[in-house]
């Protein structure tokens, strides 16, 4: 695979495929495609290609394959591990899927929506809603993240408890392979046991095996009842016990169970316009509980009251509020989704997106907190997340007044400490954001050799020339 700049003739051939209006080469136009939201990675590229059809994607890949040109697929550029950012100092071409944004078909009876990979997630949610259906993937970046990116990172979000992550929300895929061949796997089947599951290989592959161009996504009946409660609890142990009660009481109606620390509430109310503390009382931890029911509005209402009453009676809930309008429900979720951006004005923040078995969350957090504070006295731990999925965004803000760069320079050291503890609980170092560039080298350290070797063989089988998003997930040979 070449790492030198493509010749003017090759550049012209790529431009021919998409037309000059959709081939960006002016350095100022390239900038938005080269930096990711956290500013940790900045890439270089000779050009960004914006194909408008699957055939154009196929022709791009054929040419790339023939000339051994590296291609980096990009959707909404909201990924957190820099998989979508071309490598610095190389000549990777960015393939933006943003113009491939057509909803191809909606079948409310079959409960499927067939869409181009460049559709924005919020547009898919809206299209489902217009047909009185629900597409349940929901995340903070839904206004800009695209379906191809959601699939390629196997995105999770706020409703995984009830509906699963992207792998569970997709029935079929259309993929352009590194050779330019098109695999039409746009099947609408719930049951299909016909050999190896190619779909599941492409989902979560972070663009290293092929370019996803279309998908069959699952829709669901829209819930009739929806309740969101915010409960102050005394400890992570109490939050876990409350989750246990919620699971027993609500079953599949429990759509989300999120954990937030007091520090996170302080950060959001301080820095995010419009966010207010919903309670007059102060608590060490908070649980955001989302319940949605398909039978009636009343059943959700009954469940939320019953849960909070049981929680108070058991000494788990210290105080609670229940949102009484859609606006209030959104406000509570907005606070939760603002936990990460609210850390930015507080200085440097070292992040972890980890998962451990749900019942191990309190022990994991206790151990990790002690180790982090020992390493950096005064560090402000703001760990929050999808407690019901065992997924904690274990984020650490710098001590007040500390030097930001000196703090961030310890990123890898602190990662090693936290991830070591995660490993001791048989957890994962990337629960929902993937591996990309950020965790590539660490992946090889935490996974058994045989797993990495199998991944290498799969990569080689799909992409023998190594042109498909090289150096992401696995180090290029
Ligand atoms: C505020 C905020 C909140 C977030 N919350 C969550 C959350 O709750 N849960 C969660 O899981 N994630 C979350 N994320 C992370 C991010 O939004 C998701 O990873 C999202 O799914 C990425 O979609 P994208 O279109 O932006 O992909 P990009 O960032 O453009 O790309 C991500 C990866 O997918 C590859 N890729 C993109 N499109 C294609 C394609 N068509 N074919 C092949 N490969 C492709 C890229 O090469 C890259 O490796 C959040 C991000 C932000 C900024």
């Amino acid at each position: 695979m070449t790492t030198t700049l493509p010749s003017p003739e090759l550049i012209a051939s790529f431009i021919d495929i998409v037309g000059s209006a959709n081939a960006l080469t002016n350095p100022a136009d390239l900038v938005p495609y080269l930096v990711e939201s956290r500013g940790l990675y900045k890439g270089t590229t000779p050009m960004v290609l914006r194909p408008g059809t699957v055939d154009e994607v196929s022709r791009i890949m054929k040419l790339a394959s023939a000339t051994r040109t590296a291609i980096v697929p990009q959707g909404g550029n909201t990924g957190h591990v820099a998989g979508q950012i071309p490598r610095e100092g190389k000549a990777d071409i960015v393939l933006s899927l943003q113009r491939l944004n057509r909803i191809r078909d909606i079948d409310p009876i079959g409960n499927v929506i067939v869409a181009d990979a460049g559709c924005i997630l919020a547009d898919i949610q809206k299209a489902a809603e217009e047909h009185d259906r629900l597409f349940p993937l929901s995340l903070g970046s839904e206004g800009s993240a695209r379906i191809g990116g959601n699939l390629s990172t196997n995105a999770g979000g706020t409703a995984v408890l009830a509906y699963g992550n992207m792998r569970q929300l997709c029935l079929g895929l259309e993929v352009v392979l590194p050779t330019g061949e098109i695999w039409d796997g746009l099947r609408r089947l719930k049951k299909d046991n016909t050999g190896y599951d190619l779909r599941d290989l492409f989902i979560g592959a972070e663009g290293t095996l092929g370019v996803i161009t279309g998908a069959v996504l699952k829709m669901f009946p829209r819930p009739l009842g929806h309740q969101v409660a915010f409960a102050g609890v005394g400890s992570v142990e109490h939050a876990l016990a409350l989750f246990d009660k919620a699971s027993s009481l609500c079953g599949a109606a429990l759509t989300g169970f999120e954990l937030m620390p007091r520090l996170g509430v302080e950060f959001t109310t301080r820095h995010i316009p419009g966010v207010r503390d919903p309670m007059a009382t102060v608590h060490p931890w908070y649980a955001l509980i989302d319940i949605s029911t398909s039978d009636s509005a009343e059943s959700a209402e009954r469940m939320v009251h019953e849960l909070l009453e049981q929680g108070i009676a058991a000494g788990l809930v210290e105080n609670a509020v229940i949102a009484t309008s859609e606006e209030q429900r959104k406000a509570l979720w907005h606070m939760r989704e603002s936990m990460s951006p609210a850390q930015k004005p507080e200085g440097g923040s070292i992040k972890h997106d980890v998962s451990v078995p749900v019942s191990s969350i309190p022990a994991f957090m206790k151990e990790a907190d002690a180790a982090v504070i020992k390493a950096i006295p005064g560090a402000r731990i703001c760990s929050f997340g999808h407690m019901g999925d065992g997924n904690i965004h274990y984020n650490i803000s710098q001590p007040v007044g500390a030097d930001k760069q000196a703090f961030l320079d310890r990123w890898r050291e602190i990662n090693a400490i936290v991830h070591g503890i995660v490993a001791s609980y048989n957890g994962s170092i990337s629960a929902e954001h993937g591996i990309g560039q950020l965790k590539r080298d660490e992946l090889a350290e935490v996974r058994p050799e045989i797993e990495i070797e199998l991944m290498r063989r799969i990569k080689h089988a799909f992409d023998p020339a190594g042109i498909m998003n090289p150096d992401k997930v696995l180090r290029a040979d």
Side-chain angles (χ1 to χ4, degrees):
M1 183 220 353
T2 181
T3 53
T4 52
L5 277 179
S7 65
E9 293 75 26
L10 182 54
I11 295 262
S13 303
F14 276 119
I15 293 175
D16 269 354
I17 297 172
V18 293
S20 55
N22 296 307
L24 313 178
T25 51
N26 182 332
D29 296 336
L30 301 178
V31 173
Y33 300 87
L34 300 179
V35 283
E36 38 82 44
S37 61
R38 290 176 178 172
L40 293 176
Y41 287 84
K42 194 170 179 308
T44 46
T45 188
M47 69 193 309
V48 173
L49 296 170
R50 304 175 74 242
T53 65
V54 177
D55 180 58
E56 286 178 7
V57 177
S58 163
R59 286 163 59 207
I60 289 168
M61 291 315 304
K62 268 187 193 138
L63 182 57
S65 174
T67 55
R68 297 175 87 81
T69 306
I71 299 289
V72 179
Q74 189 177 102
N77 190 10
T78 68
H80 276 331
V81 291
Q84 73 281 15
I85 301 297
R87 294 168 298 173
E88 195 177 359
K90 308 280 185 186
D92 307 350
I93 289 179
V94 175
L95 180 69
S96 166
L97 276 297
Q98 295 190 355
R99 287 183 60 237
L100 227 65
N101 59 1
R102 202 169 49 89
I103 291 176
R104 301 186 193 179
D105 188 29
I106 297 192
D107 172 7
I109 294 178
N111 268 323
V112 295
I113 180 162
V114 187
D116 283 353
C119 287
I120 290 177
L121 171 56
D123 292 340
I124 297 293
Q125 294 166 342
K126 200 159 151 265
E129 208 176 305
E130 281 163 8
H131 288 75
D132 198 26
R133 292 289 183 274
L134 172 78
F135 182 64
L137 183 72
S138 175
L139 24 105
S141 57
E142 63 198 25
S144 40
R146 312 242 167 188
I147 289 301
N150 297 150
L151 286 160
S152 299
T153 56
N154 188 27
T158 55
V160 171
L161 257 185
Y163 298 100
N165 49 19
M166 220 28 190
R167 210 167 249 137
Q168 280 82 51
L169 297 176
C170 174
L171 291 173
L173 284 184
E174 175 188 74
V175 179
V176 174
L177 303 174
T179 53
E181 293 159 288
I182 300 171
W183 172 53
D184 179 352
L186 288 175
R187 300 182 195 118
R188 303 181 181 203
L189 307 175
K190 283 208 174 125
K191 292 188 144 186
D192 178 18
N193 286 345
T194 48
Y196 302 131
D197 198 326
L198 298 176
R199 177 199 57 186
D200 273 4
L201 272 179
F202 289 109
I203 298 176
E206 302 182 49
T208 60
L209 301 180
V211 184
I212 296 174
T213 48
V216 181
L217 305 170
K218 275 191 210 166
M219 299 191 295
F220 296 82
R222 258 152 64 84
L224 293 177
H226 187 200
Q227 293 287 330
V228 177
F230 187 73
V233 295
S235 65
V236 180
E237 285 83 354
H238 283 183
L240 182 67
L242 186 63
F243 169 66
D244 184 40
K245 278 200 183 304
S247 304
S248 311
L249 190 79
C250 309
L254 183 64
T255 317
F257 193 100
E258 304 281 317
L259 179 72
M260 284 171 274
R262 176 67 202 166
L263 186 64
V265 171
E266 283 169 12
F267 284 176
T268 52
T269 49
R270 194 180 303 159
H271 300 298
I272 306 293
V275 172
R276 287 188 308 109
D277 188 340
M279 287 192 268
T281 48
V282 168
H283 307 274
W285 291 92
Y286 299 87
L288 188 154
I289 304 150
D290 192 300
I291 296 170
S292 48
T293 48
S294 53
D295 55 346
S296 70
E298 292 72 33
S299 63
E301 212 175 322
R302 252 194 328 270
M303 272 181 202
V304 78
H305 282 104
E306 169 85 35
L307 174 63
L308 293 177
E309 277 162 25
Q310 284 190 17
I312 290 167
L316 302 174
V317 173
E318 296 177 347
N319 194 4
V321 293
I322 300 172
T324 54
S325 65
E326 189 55 27
E327 201 183 322
Q328 286 184 7
R329 284 192 274 276
K330 281 190 176 146
L332 290 177
W333 269 110
H334 180 53
M335 169 184 269
R336 158 63 187 86
E337 278 163 0
S338 303
M339 289 277 139
S340 194
Q343 281 188 276
K344 235 180 190 165
E346 293 288 332
S349 166
I350 297 176
K351 317 224 181 217
H352 307 84
D353 163 39
V354 300
S355 64
V356 293
V358 177
S359 51
S360 303
I361 287 177
F364 156 71
M365 283 172 66
K366 216 167 252 165
E367 216 176 304
D369 288 1
V372 166
I373 295 300
K374 189 168 169 220
I376 308 184
R380 293 169 298 161
I381 298 165
C382 183
S383 44
F384 61 90
H386 316 294
M387 186 177 208
D389 310 329
N391 176 194
I392 298 296
H393 297 299
Y394 192 86
N395 291 357
I396 306 156
S397 282
Q398 66 175 67
V400 175
D403 179 76
K404 181 176 175 183
Q405 198 48 53
F407 174 77
L408 289 176
D409 285 346
R410 301 185 68 181
W411 189 294
R412 291 212 177 271
E413 173 201 342
I414 300 301
N415 277 183
I417 293 173
V418 173
H419 290 163
I421 297 168
V422 167
S424 72
Y425 286 93
N426 236 330
S428 166
I429 63 162
S430 186
E432 58 178 10
H433 295 153
I435 298 298
Q437 302 188 62
L438 184 69
K439 295 182 180 170
R440 180 198 55 209
D441 294 340
E442 228 181 317
L443 177 72
E445 286 161 18
V446 298
R447 287 291 188 205
E449 228 174 283
I450 183 69
E451 258 181 65
I452 299 294
E453 180 52 27
L454 285 172
M455 288 190 210
R456 282 196 179 288
R457 289 182 205 165
I458 290 168
K459 166 78 176 168
H460 189 72
F462 280 84
D463 180 24
I467 59 165
M468 204 66 251
N469 212 2
D471 266 334
K472 313 294 170 60
V473 183
L474 299 169
R475 192 173 270 287
D477 298 324

